[in-house]
Amino acid sequence: PRAFEKSAVLDAVAKFVACDDQSLSMVSKKAFRNCLVAMRPQTNKSDLPSTHDVTTYIHNQFVAHLEALKTDI
């Protein structure tokens, strides 16, 4: 992405957690959040996804994937 978008950050963090087999608690760790802020210093706390946001996003993506599979069958 060329511009900051909260949805893109949420997607990237969710993929990091799910695809790299990371703990959801990683999302709320200060060191991880500081890495996200270092990439965009003007980031506000509200711009960063919470553990709840990531959990909900992963769940919704999974449900959408299952629905797509059902449609294909």
Side-chain angles (χ1 to χ4, degrees):
R2 297 209 180 268
F4 175 82
E5 294 177 15
K6 282 178 69 170
S7 60
V9 173
L10 176 59
D11 183 67
V13 170
K15 285 179 181 175
F16 171 72
V17 168
C19 297
D20 289 343
D21 198 27
Q22 298 295 323
S23 168
L24 278 168
S25 66
M26 171 74 75
V27 175
S28 62
K29 292 193 182 285
K30 187 177 273 189
F32 180 74
R33 296 177 76 76
N34 285 343
C35 287
L36 296 176
V37 171
M39 289 185 267
R40 184 175 181 264
Q42 65 269 32
T43 299
N44 296 320
K45 184 177 181 179
S46 63
D47 293 331
L48 300 176
S50 68
T51 302
H52 179 265
D53 295 335
V54 174
T55 303
T56 302
Y57 181 82
I58 291 171
H59 172 78
N60 291 342
Q61 291 295 310
F62 180 71
V63 169
H65 182 69
L66 285 180
E67 291 300 321
L69 288 175
K70 288 178 186 176
T71 302
D72 290 345
I73 294 177

